[in-house]
Amino acid sequence: MIRFQQVSKKYNDQLVLENFDIAIEDGEFFVLVGPSGSGKTTTLKMINRLIEPTDGDIYFNDQRLIDYNLKELRLTIGYVLQQIALFPNLTVAENIELIPEMKRWNKAQKRERTEELLRKVNLPPEEYLHRKPAELSGGEQQRIGILRAIAAKPDIILMDEPFSALDPISRGQLQLLIKELHKEMASTVVFVTHDMNEALLLGDRICVMKDGKIVQTDTPEEIRSHPANEFVAQFFQQEHSNLENYCAEDLVELDLLEQSLSLGETTVALDTALPVIIRALVEGNKVILADEEKVLGEITDRTILRFLETKMEKGDQ
């Protein structure tokens, strides 16, 4: 567990975080969302001690962060930035294996883990292991950045606006991918975004921030249904990404459905928007597409990923 206890941060006389008091549970996907200047990135950077609080304490597993050996602490934390920051002189494999190397994994362990991860994100090892970052697209580079952060199986993964520089299709693809990886690894993820739609899609819980203070912390469903005030309500009204332009019928047209003979927890129609379907999948539900009570097939994580990959190949934005 990560716990902030009455944490504040000042730069000179400017208060950028005030009495921040929150507990993040083990294995939780916790999203910090708010406009620019709300204190999101400052909060995130305090977890790996890139920034130290002016007042208050931060705890990890009931021990103050300040009492940890800094190097050992950071080796338990993966970090993904908007600026991908791969080492340009290193190959894809060497970039992914940086932290396992520091943890003294042997050569076979490192390569086995790297190849496993590359397959998970649909980058065949035989094609990508020895490429340099300059040979990759922006979306591919960001995938490698994510793999580098999770390669050594960290307890905590920090993600600071990791997808905001990508085109909408790449962004949607990586949003679903990180949720898949989170479910498999059960690491604690702290994710920063200024996009409420991304927060609602990804988060187990969301902390809405404004001017260095917490406005509301709750599940996506509660924030959507019961915003704490007009600021949260208006923030939720921001423009949706163009994934809203796609629906279940688009999946049928590309023949991407899985066969299914049984109903699931969630049944959707042909006109159900893609973000609604993705949210149901993120929540772990089995999603069935039906038309006039006839089951057409099952929509899975892989269905959505294949759809997004098809759109990328066609150059759709």
Side-chain angles (χ1 to χ4, degrees):
M1 178 195 287
I2 303 164
R3 180 161 51 93
F4 285 74
Q5 185 173 298
Q6 294 296 296
V7 172
S8 297
K9 179 64 180 178
K10 282 184 179 179
Y11 291 108
N12 299 319
D13 292 329
Q14 184 180 2
L15 191 63
V16 296
L17 203 66
E18 183 176 358
N19 295 330
F20 197 84
D21 205 345
I22 201 88
I24 301 170
E25 301 296 332
D26 288 340
E28 188 172 28
F29 201 118
F30 191 83
V31 179
L32 300 168
V33 66
S36 297
S38 58
K40 307 182 302 294
T41 294
T42 296
T43 302
L44 189 81
K45 288 182 175 180
M46 286 182 175
I47 296 173
N48 63 356
R49 292 184 54 197
L50 286 172
I51 295 175
E52 301 286 6
T54 306
D55 295 297
D57 285 301
I58 305 170
Y59 294 83
F60 173 48
N61 290 338
D62 297 321
Q63 180 177 332
R64 292 192 314 164
L65 284 185
I66 199 71
D67 295 330
Y68 279 86
N69 175 281
L70 185 57
K71 181 180 177 181
E72 291 177 5
L73 173 71
R74 288 181 178 166
L75 285 176
T76 69
I77 298 174
Y79 194 26
V80 185
L81 299 165
Q82 176 183 333
Q83 300 81 15
I84 300 156
L86 298 178
F87 290 96
N89 57 320
L90 301 183
T91 64
V92 163
E94 289 167 339
N95 268 285
I96 294 172
E97 293 168 4
L98 279 172
I99 302 302
E101 174 76 21
M102 294 173 71
K103 288 191 165 187
R104 302 186 184 281
W105 290 22
N106 65 44
K107 186 175 181 179
Q109 283 178 308
K110 289 187 296 185
R111 189 48 48 93
E112 181 181 1
R113 177 66 171 160
T114 299
E115 292 184 0
E116 171 199 359
L117 289 173
L118 285 170
R119 291 190 187 97
K120 282 184 185 296
V121 300
N122 298 319
L123 299 177
E126 59 274 14
E127 295 181 31
Y128 284 89
L129 277 173
H130 304 295
R131 290 190 185 182
K132 294 289 183 65
E135 302 173 67
L136 308 176
S137 69
E140 289 171 340
Q141 288 185 39
Q142 196 63 296
R143 287 194 226 181
I144 300 306
I146 292 169
L147 298 189
R148 183 176 63 184
I150 69 174
K153 304 178 182 179
D155 297 323
I156 302 167
I157 302 169
L158 307 179
M159 307 190 79
D160 191 1
E161 307 246 21
F163 310 140
S164 60
L166 300 175
D167 65 85
I169 296 299
S170 296
R171 185 172 186 165
Q173 185 182 41
L174 288 178
Q175 286 168 345
L176 192 59
L177 171 64
I178 196 62
K179 283 300 290 190
E180 266 197 343
L181 293 172
H182 174 248
K183 282 192 288 187
E184 289 180 19
M185 295 178 59
S187 297
T188 302
V189 177
V190 185
F191 188 103
V192 163
T193 182
H194 64 272
D195 183 338
M196 180 60 98
N197 295 308
E198 185 166 69
L200 291 169
L201 175 68
L202 295 176
D204 295 323
R205 278 193 306 148
I206 298 168
C207 176
V208 183
M209 299 178 64
K210 181 186 180 188
D211 299 330
K213 296 179 181 179
I214 297 171
V215 181
Q216 183 174 5
T217 303
D218 217 322
T219 64
E221 293 73 22
E222 280 300 308
I223 288 179
R224 183 187 287 112
S225 304
H226 303 104
N229 57 26
E230 188 63 22
F231 168 76
V232 178
Q234 288 185 353
F235 199 58
F236 173 61
Q237 297 298 323
Q238 64 183 283
E239 184 179 349
H240 291 278
S241 74
N242 76 345
L243 289 179
E244 287 281 354
N245 297 332
Y246 299 108
C247 62
E249 189 171 6
D250 295 300
L251 305 177
V252 176
E253 290 177 357
L254 293 173
D255 194 25
L256 297 175
L257 299 184
E258 308 279 349
Q259 298 243 334
S260 179
L261 300 176
S262 62
L263 294 176
E265 296 92 343
T266 301
T267 301
V268 299
L270 288 168
D271 61 354
T272 302
L274 206 58
V276 174
I277 296 170
I278 292 172
R279 182 68 220 176
L281 292 170
V282 163
E283 291 168 356
N285 295 330
K286 180 179 180 181
V287 178
I288 297 297
L289 175 61
D291 184 31
E292 297 181 351
E293 299 185 359
K294 178 185 177 183
V295 173
L296 300 180
E298 181 179 355
I299 301 172
T300 66
D301 292 352
R302 288 290 162 195
T303 307
I304 303 297
L305 284 173
R306 288 200 303 273
F307 173 76
L308 293 171
E309 285 164 1
T310 301
K311 290 296 175 185
M312 286 181 68
E313 288 167 3
K314 290 181 177 180
D316 294 350
Q317 296 293 314

